């Protein structure tokens, strides 16, 4: 029966814990790139024992570090979603800066009112474009970008 009932407040809040009290771990590919990933539910989401190589480090981190915050939103909820997303993104960025002071990060909030709101992060890698930028013109999408 999954999907028939909307997520309860308690369930939604529990899914946000990795953004409220973020913890991270790193994995290193065969090129020696140290990739920073968000720990979820006390375990590592990317649990790879064999060696691997990452050609697009930005996309790898951004895709592995994406968290859905809200489902579809009504017009009256947009301001609240933006404020909540910005607050969670700032908290995430502050914790990243504290945990990895020698690295630079981008945290984005994507609000797609008709489908979902997502927060993601990645390192700022030399020679690679950001995963999303405020200039991205995506239909019906608001993008907020924080960097440090």
């Amino acid at each position: 029966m999954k999907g028939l009932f909307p997520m309860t407040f308690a369930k939604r809040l529990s899914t946000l814990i990795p953004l409220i009290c973020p913890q991270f771990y790193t994995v290193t590919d065969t090129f020696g790139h140290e990739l920073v990933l968000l720990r979820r539910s006390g375990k590592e989401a990317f649990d790879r024992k064999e060696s691997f190589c990452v050609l697009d480090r930005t996309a790898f981190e951004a895709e592995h570090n994406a968290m859905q915050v809200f489902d579809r939103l009504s017009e009256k909820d947009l301001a609240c979603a933006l404020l909540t997303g910005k607050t969670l993104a700032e908290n995430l960025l502050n914790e990243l800066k504290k945990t990895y002071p020698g690295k630079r990060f981008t945290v984005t909030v994507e609000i797609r009112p008709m489908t979902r709101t997502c927060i993601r992060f990645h390192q700022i890698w030399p020679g690679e474009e950001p995963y999303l930028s405020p200039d991205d013109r995506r239909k019906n999408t608001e993008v907020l970008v924080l960097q440090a």
Side-chain angles (χ1 to χ4, degrees), residues 6-7 35 54 57 61 65 79 104 115 147:
M7 192 176 284
L35 304 152
V54 175
R57 299 164 293 190
E61 286 183 330
N65 291 321
R104 297 185 58 223
T115 57
Q147 290 186 334

Side-chain angles (χ1 to χ4, degrees), residues 22-138:
Q23 295 180 343
F24 313 99
Y25 66 101
T26 59
V27 295
T28 304
D29 72 357
T30 54
F31 298 123
H33 303 131
E34 185 179 63
L35 304 152
V36 177
L37 301 176
L38 184 64
R39 188 179 306 277
R40 302 162 197 253
S41 305
K43 62 180 180 172
E44 298 176 359
F46 187 80
D47 190 18
R48 195 158 205 177
K49 303 295 184 222
E50 69 274 359
S51 62
F52 67 102
C53 62
V54 175
L55 300 178
D56 187 339
R57 299 164 293 190
T58 299
F60 179 88
E61 286 183 330
E63 290 164 6
H64 281 83
N65 291 321
M67 286 207 56
Q68 183 172 333
V69 181
F70 300 114
D71 297 320
R72 186 179 187 145
L73 298 168
S74 67
E75 194 69 33
K76 65 182 172 70
D77 291 331
L78 289 178
C80 185
L82 181 60
L83 176 63
T84 302
K86 182 177 185 280
T87 302
L88 289 169
E90 287 171 342
N91 183 61
L92 182 60
L93 186 59
N94 288 335
E95 196 62 33
L96 283 163
K97 289 190 305 188
K98 188 169 71 175
T99 307
Y100 301 99
K103 297 181 183 289
R104 297 185 58 223
F105 294 92
T106 295
V107 178
T108 59
V109 179
E110 304 164 57
I111 299 177
R112 295 180 182 161
M114 300 306 290
T115 57
R116 64 187 170 95
T117 298
C118 178
I119 296 176
R120 67 178 78 234
F121 75 88
H122 62 81
Q123 292 181 69
I124 299 173
W125 293 99
E128 291 188 19
E129 293 292 318
Y131 191 78
L132 289 173
S133 76
D135 299 329
D136 284 345
R137 297 287 178 233
R138 295 174 185 224

